[in-house]
């Protein structure tokens, strides 16, 4: 699995590099083949895990003018759409308008297929005729092959290929073609962005920053529905997991609406954490839940785990330290009509686990019977720190352990730069819990965050010897009881 993920990243990285250096895609394919030894199916992985919405193209360069704006736009930092105009000479057939459809159907392999460009244009000198534009890559010498000529002969069309002057403008070029023409030659131009409602969110490289406003405007122009483009200006290192951002183009409105797994959310993108790349993971965890189960969401954000769980008729306890996230969580619960099914909290994660979570588990677990099917799930989606919170589960409850089937299942997220990320996150969790999870946990690769950095989900049932602290025996001597009480108090101070 890790090798497959590496190969997918290799393909993506080299595909971007290929687009910038104008080499051919088969070179990347061969490079991938050398590293993997197994080619089939890798494109499926890349397409699924890539969230880049800017079109990425690697065109045949036998006639580059057709796909390149005017060379004078190189170095432009403020967008001037008029400067992109140019005229290129392309092959065309003169056809009677009554048989245009037949010609298009018969020569579909040779007709121009580029989106945004008309394949059929009027003949200014003959209103009964039309020009059918041909693909200059397929007809490079302005002459058709024998097979195409035979087709035209059957349709009574003269096989002469005309040189047609095609007017190109800013509207005819794709995002990457525009940026490749503007940015310094040889520099990477593909900019990935994620879509959050009407907002396009970028993470620009340093060499792209002088062109950031132009890039923002191009993205807004080429993506219908995008009315605001922002660039992240620092990493997510604040207490509340939000980050500073600069509006590059469009309206300065960062309150937006999104839809994920058929559920609507509203949020202020500048004040709360939202990542559209986690949609599949949110759905995966929610699919594990059944009606009547209990979900404790320790770092709930605006509710992408909590709200769909409530809609599945689970009892939900959702918490987030960020007051803004808490406010939007309440708002989205009402928006989705589950506000009576979700108990929301605005607390530190440790306090939430030692307070409402411990209280509910202490009340519910002793009442469980073997035949009962209620499951308890604890989601900890704070990948930078969640593993460090696992020590809270050590002796969280007092008393005799419940049945093994009733032990809560934890879904803990983490980042890893280790060569074996699954082993790394398991070992870190074991160190924090103070016990081995060998044979008692599973690890799921969520996504590749950056080169050599993975996001994973470690799922396990909390071992009874970790979760429970046995009470002192009733028959113990008073001195022993005092000693036990003293130890309990000391341990409580250490945990807090």
């Amino acid at each position: 699995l890790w090798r497959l993920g590496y190969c997918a990243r290799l393909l993506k990285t080299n595909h971007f590099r290929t687009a910038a250096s104008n080499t051919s895609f088969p070179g990347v394919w061969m490079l991938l083949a050398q590293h993997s030894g197994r080619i089939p199916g890798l494109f499926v992985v890349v397409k699924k895990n890539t969230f880049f919405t800017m079109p990425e193209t690697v065109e045949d360069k036998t006639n580059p003018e057709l796909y390149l704006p005017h060379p004078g736009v190189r170095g432009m930092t403020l967008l001037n759409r008029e400067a992109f105009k140019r005229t290129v000479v392309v092959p065309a057939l003169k056809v009677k308008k009554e048989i245009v459809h037949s010609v298009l159907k018969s020569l579909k392999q040779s007709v121009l297929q580029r989106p945004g460009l008309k394949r059929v244009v009027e003949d200014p000198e003959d209103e009964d005729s039309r020009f059918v534009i041909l693909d200059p890559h397929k007809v490079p010498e302005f002459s058709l092959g024998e097979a195409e000529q035979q087709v035209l002969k059957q349709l009574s069309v003269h096989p002469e290929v005309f040189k047609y002057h095609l007017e190109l403008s800013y509207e005819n070029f794709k995002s990457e073609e525009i940026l490749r023409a503007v940015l310094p030659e040889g520099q990477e131009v593909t900019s990935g962005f994620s879509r959050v409602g009407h907002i396009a969110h970028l993470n620009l490289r340093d060499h792209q920053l002088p062109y950031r406003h132009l890039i923002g405007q191009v993205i807004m122009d080429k993506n219908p529905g995008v009315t605001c483009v922002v660039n992240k200006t620092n990493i997510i290192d604040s207490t509340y997991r939000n980050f500073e951002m600069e509006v590059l183009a469009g309206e300065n409105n960062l309150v937006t609406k999104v839809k994920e797994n058929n559920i609507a959310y509203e949020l202020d993108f500048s004040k709360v954490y939202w990542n559209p790349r986690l949609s599949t993971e949110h759905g995966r965890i929610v699919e594990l839940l059944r009606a009547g189960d209990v979900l404790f969401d320790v770092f709930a954000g605006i509710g992408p785990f909590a709200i769909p769980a409530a809609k599945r008729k689970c009892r939900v306890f959702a918490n987030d330290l960020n007051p803004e996230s808490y406010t939007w969580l309440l708002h989205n619960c009402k928006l989705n009509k589950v506000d009576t099914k979700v108990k929301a909290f605005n607390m530190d994660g440790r306090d939430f686990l030692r307070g409402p979570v411990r209280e509910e588990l202490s009340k519910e677990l002793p009442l469980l019977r073997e035949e009962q099917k209620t499951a308890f799930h604890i989601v900890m989606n704070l990948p930078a720190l969640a593993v460090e919170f696992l020590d809270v589960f050590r002796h969280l409850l007092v008393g005799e352990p419940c049945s093994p089937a009733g032990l809560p299942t934890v879904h803990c997220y983490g980042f890893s730069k280790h060569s074996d990320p699954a082993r790394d996150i398991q070992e870190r969790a074991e160190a924090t819990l103070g016990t081995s999870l060998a044979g008692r946990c599973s690890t799921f690769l969520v996504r590749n965050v950056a080169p050599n950095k993975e996001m994973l989900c470690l799922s396990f049932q909390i071992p009874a010897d970790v979760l429970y602290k046995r009470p002192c025996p009733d028959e113990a001597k008073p001195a022993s009881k005092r000693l036990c009480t003293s130890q309990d108090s000391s341990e409580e101070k250490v945990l807090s």
Side-chain angles (χ1 to χ4, degrees):
L1 177 63
W2 302 117
R3 190 177 187 187
L4 187 64
Y6 166 74
C7 292
R9 295 194 300 278
L10 178 70
L11 173 61
K12 182 169 67 175
T13 302
N14 284 281
H15 178 55
F16 289 173
R17 194 174 297 135
T18 301
S21 61
N22 294 344
T23 57
S24 63
F25 185 76
V28 180
W29 181 247
M30 293 305 298
L31 180 60
L32 176 59
Q34 293 171 11
H35 282 270
S36 68
R38 294 184 179 182
I39 292 177
L42 286 181
F43 274 123
V44 178
V45 175
V46 175
K47 185 174 181 179
K48 180 178 180 181
N49 292 334
T50 303
F51 208 86
F52 293 89
T53 50
M54 178 180 291
E56 299 167 10
T57 58
V58 181
E59 301 284 3
D60 181 0
K61 297 301 183 294
T62 55
N63 186 351
E65 287 188 347
L66 183 60
Y67 302 111
L68 290 180
H70 193 283
V73 301
R74 180 77 66 191
M76 178 187 294
T77 55
L78 294 177
L79 184 61
N80 176 8
R81 297 176 182 83
E82 292 296 314
F84 287 82
K85 288 184 177 179
R86 73 179 308 168
T87 302
V88 295
V89 179
V90 295
L93 288 172
K94 188 172 182 178
V95 178
K96 290 296 181 181
K97 64 180 182 181
E98 302 88 45
I99 61 170
V100 165
H101 180 73
S102 299
V103 172
L104 290 174
K105 186 176 181 181
S106 301
L107 295 182
K108 60 182 178 181
Q109 298 299 324
S110 301
V111 173
L112 183 66
Q113 300 291 340
R114 183 171 173 83
L117 291 180
K118 293 182 178 180
R119 296 180 296 171
V120 180
V121 295
E122 293 184 357
D123 182 350
E125 299 179 355
D126 184 358
E127 63 178 18
D128 294 327
S129 298
R130 299 290 184 267
F131 280 114
V132 174
I133 309 299
L134 303 177
D135 189 338
H137 300 159
K138 306 292 179 59
V139 191
E141 302 297 330
F142 289 86
S143 62
L144 292 169
E146 186 65 31
E148 288 84 358
Q149 292 188 37
Q150 288 297 325
V151 170
L152 293 178
K153 186 176 181 180
Q154 294 175 7
L155 295 171
S156 300
V157 176
H158 194 278
E160 179 184 2
V161 178
F162 292 81
K163 292 184 177 181
Y164 183 84
H165 289 76
L166 182 64
E167 300 289 336
L168 298 178
S169 65
Y170 173 82
E171 287 71 25
N172 299 128
F173 298 110
K174 300 177 183 179
S175 300
E176 193 215 354
E177 292 166 345
I178 292 172
L179 298 182
R180 184 191 295 140
V182 169
L183 268 64
E185 211 164 347
Q187 290 191 357
E188 183 184 7
V189 300
T190 47
S191 294
F193 68 91
S194 55
R195 181 82 176 259
V196 183
H198 67 275
I199 302 169
H201 170 221
L202 290 81
N203 296 315
L204 294 180
R205 305 285 181 87
D206 289 343
H207 72 271
Q208 296 170 328
L209 292 178
Y211 307 90
R212 63 189 184 278
H213 295 292
L214 181 144
I215 293 172
Q217 189 64 54
V218 170
I219 289 175
M220 194 165 70
D221 289 346
K222 299 297 180 178
N223 293 272
V226 171
T227 59
C228 176
V229 182
V230 300
N231 179 46
K232 185 173 69 174
T233 57
N234 69 343
I235 61 174
I236 301 174
D237 58 358
S238 68
T239 304
Y240 299 145
R241 287 201 298 170
N242 50 14
F243 45 79
E244 295 178 7
M245 59 183 70
E246 176 186 12
V247 176
L248 304 182
E251 58 183 349
N252 189 4
N253 175 19
L254 298 178
V255 175
T256 187
K257 299 179 181 180
V258 297
K259 197 166 188 178
E260 179 183 275
N261 300 325
N262 296 317
I263 295 178
Y265 302 88
E266 295 180 356
L267 63 137
D268 186 334
F269 189 56
S270 66
K271 296 180 179 178
V272 304
Y273 179 79
W274 178 264
N275 190 338
R277 293 175 175 86
L278 296 177
S279 170
T280 302
E281 179 61 12
H282 295 152
R284 184 184 74 88
I285 294 297
V286 172
E287 283 295 319
L288 301 176
L289 307 177
R290 298 170 300 188
D293 285 352
V294 180
L295 174 68
F296 301 102
D297 194 350
V298 185
F299 312 106
I302 67 168
F305 287 113
I307 291 172
K311 282 189 167 289
R312 290 177 75 92
K313 299 182 179 179
C314 296
R315 289 189 292 131
V316 179
F317 297 76
N319 170 73
D320 202 279
L321 177 62
N322 183 354
E324 288 287 340
S325 295
Y326 172 73
T327 299
W328 286 104
L329 171 63
L330 294 175
H331 174 81
N332 286 308
C333 286
K334 289 182 179 179
L335 181 67
N336 289 281
K337 300 179 181 179
V338 294
D339 48 307
T340 60
K341 301 176 183 178
V342 177
K343 292 185 178 180
F345 302 85
N346 179 208
M347 306 171 66
D348 176 79
R350 289 180 179 275
D351 295 335
F352 176 65
L353 288 167
R354 290 182 179 142
V357 175
R358 173 158 54 185
E359 180 181 343
E360 191 67 20
L361 291 178
S362 298
K363 181 174 63 177
E364 294 284 341
L365 291 183
L367 302 178
L368 282 182
R369 297 176 182 176
E370 290 291 341
E371 65 272 13
Q372 287 183 307
K373 297 182 179 180
T374 301
F376 297 85
H377 292 263
I378 303 173
V379 173
M380 304 176 70
N381 184 21
L382 184 64
L385 295 172
V387 173
E388 299 176 16
F389 282 72
L390 294 178
D391 66 298
V392 176
F393 295 117
R394 298 169 69 171
H395 294 174
L396 182 67
L397 305 181
V398 176
E400 291 298 321
C402 66
S403 67
L407 292 170
T409 298
V410 174
H411 307 282
C412 180
Y413 291 84
F415 293 131
S416 177
K417 295 183 178 181
H418 197 274
S419 58
D420 187 348
R423 181 166 62 86
D424 174 50
I425 193 171
Q426 179 179 330
E427 289 179 349
R428 285 159 46 202
E430 290 173 338
T432 309
L433 288 168
T435 192
S436 173
L437 295 176
R440 298 192 285 185
C441 68
S442 63
T443 306
F444 183 81
L445 173 62
V446 177
R447 70 185 188 97
N448 173 248
V449 178
N452 302 316
K453 184 178 181 180
E454 310 288 352
M455 178 179 174
L456 306 97
C457 176
L458 180 72
S459 296
F460 61 92
Q461 276 193 299
I462 309 174
D465 57 343
V466 172
L467 183 62
Y468 283 91
K469 177 176 63 177
R470 299 295 180 95
C472 293
D474 293 337
E475 66 274 17
K477 296 179 180 179
S480 299
K481 289 183 179 180
R482 288 195 298 273
L483 177 60
C484 181
T485 303
S486 175
Q487 290 173 340
D488 291 350
S489 176
S490 299
E491 183 176 8
E492 198 65 39
K493 290 179 180 179
V494 170
L495 289 176
S496 61

